[in-house]
Amino acid sequence: MKIVSFVDDVGRNWSVEVAGTRLQRMRGLLGRRGSAEGSAMLFPNASAVHTIGMRFPISVVFLDEDMRVIRVDRAPPGRARIRCPGAGHVMEMDASARVEPGTSFSRSPSV
């Protein structure tokens, strides 16, 4: 899975796995015991996810096409569908992550 570096508009760095294939999108964070602080999984061109089979609660971050947060849902395991019409992308991250609507993400410049 491709991993890219993002930075949010408050200066936090994020290690983001990009679910680029159908299999990666179907699997998501399933089978993991948690998500590390500062890490996330991005589902490009998506507006919904589920937490069926998950072992831990997550924050579901809905982004517009410009990678600005439009909504954040805290989701326990077992939710059939979490959806946000109009979202361009979805990020899954640890439930304790402090991301709020209006936050913007951008690719980190190469070092």
Side-chain angles (χ1 to χ4, degrees):
M1 189 171 303
K2 182 178 178 181
I3 299 176
V4 296
S5 295
F6 278 83
V7 64
D8 63 24
D9 55 5
V10 291
R12 294 176 294 194
N13 292 307
W14 296 86
S15 177
V16 179
E17 294 179 77
V18 180
T21 69
R22 183 179 172 127
L23 181 59
Q24 291 169 345
R25 293 170 75 89
M26 287 176 15
R27 179 154 188 185
L29 295 175
L30 293 175
R32 300 183 190 191
R33 297 191 185 279
S35 181
E37 184 176 337
S39 68
M41 182 170 288
L42 175 66
F43 298 86
N45 305 312
S47 62
V49 294
H50 70 84
T51 60
I52 294 172
M54 297 276 301
R55 297 180 178 180
F56 57 97
I58 60 172
S59 286
V60 180
V61 179
F62 295 99
L63 304 151
D64 65 16
E65 293 295 332
D66 297 322
M67 299 297 289
R68 181 175 296 277
V69 177
I70 55 176
R71 191 174 99 200
V72 179
D73 287 355
R74 307 294 191 247
R79 293 262 317 263
R81 189 171 192 194
I82 304 113
R83 183 172 180 259
C84 180
H89 315 285
V90 181
M91 263 198 227
E92 293 180 347
M93 58 185 65
D94 189 77
S96 66
R98 302 231 184 259
V99 176
E100 302 297 329
T103 301
S104 291
F105 289 87
S106 59
R107 294 284 296 264
S108 292
S110 298
V111 176

